[in-house]
Amino acid sequence: MARIYKIPMSKVVLTIFLLFVAAIAAAVAWSFNSGLLWTGICLVAVAGPLAIFYWYMLYITPKRAAITVADEGILLAAPPFASAVIPWASVVKVFPANLKTDDDFKIGKTKKFMEFIGYRSGVAELKNKQEAVIVANRIDVLCIQTEERFYLLGPSDMEGFTKDVETIAKQL
């Protein structure tokens, strides 16, 4: 019985991003009075590649992020910033946490990390000097503590994820 939980970026953020790119392209086109050819070259050479890069980072990367809860453990896949296999035998404790209000889970140094308007993915050192893998699109997360590190996970369906993890963790 494996269940997959997705962690996408908010559609509002993506819509605002597309509107921002369109506004920048319109401003560039308007500001160039040197003709359509140079305006087009500028848009293709500068705005196009930047828009593609940011679209990839804000849409494709979070869309691939997923947490699979299975009888053997938890598989975390959030490339390129975080991935892990957490066997149930290594889980010490499971409890809810809040990334904004819990001082123990404030982010200190980051190693491979992306944070953008509520979406977090990567490996970070917490203020208490412990390592944490964070993949969440919300501030309320489920903390899965192992001997090595904390896993702070917050998928879109937090209620279903919490229920599945607690059900399997109680059986152990």
Side-chain angles (χ1 to χ4, degrees), residues 76 89 109 115 131 140:
L76 173 63
K109 290 186 204 176
E115 183 173 2
E131 188 177 75
D140 57 320

Side-chain angles (χ1 to χ4, degrees), residues 20-71:
F20 180 73
V21 168
I24 294 296
V28 168
W30 177 79
S31 68
F32 279 97
N33 291 326
S34 58
L36 188 60
L37 176 66
W38 284 105
T39 302
I41 289 171
C42 185
L43 288 175
V44 169
V46 178
L50 284 176
I52 291 169
F53 172 72
Y54 282 110
W55 181 252
Y56 178 79
M57 291 304 293
L58 296 177
Y59 180 71
I60 302 298
T61 298
K63 188 176 181 178
R64 294 187 305 174
I67 304 167
T68 304
V69 178
D71 293 334

Side-chain angles (χ1 to χ4, degrees), residues 5-14 54-67 76-83 99-100 107 110 112-124 133-141 152-157:
Y5 296 92
K6 294 288 191 174
I7 313 163
M9 179 81 64
S10 170
K11 291 187 188 325
V12 172
V13 172
L14 297 172
Y54 282 110
W55 181 252
Y56 178 79
M57 291 304 293
L58 296 177
Y59 180 71
I60 302 298
T61 298
K63 188 176 181 178
R64 294 187 305 174
I67 304 167
L76 173 63
F81 303 109
S83 61
L99 296 175
K100 193 173 250 185
I107 297 172
T110 59
K112 297 185 313 179
F113 198 77
M114 177 178 112
E115 183 173 2
F116 190 80
I117 308 179
Y119 180 84
R120 296 165 190 84
S121 177
V123 180
V133 175
I134 304 169
V135 181
N137 61 4
R138 53 194 311 134
I139 59 168
D140 57 320
V141 295
L152 303 169
L153 308 175
S156 295
D157 181 13

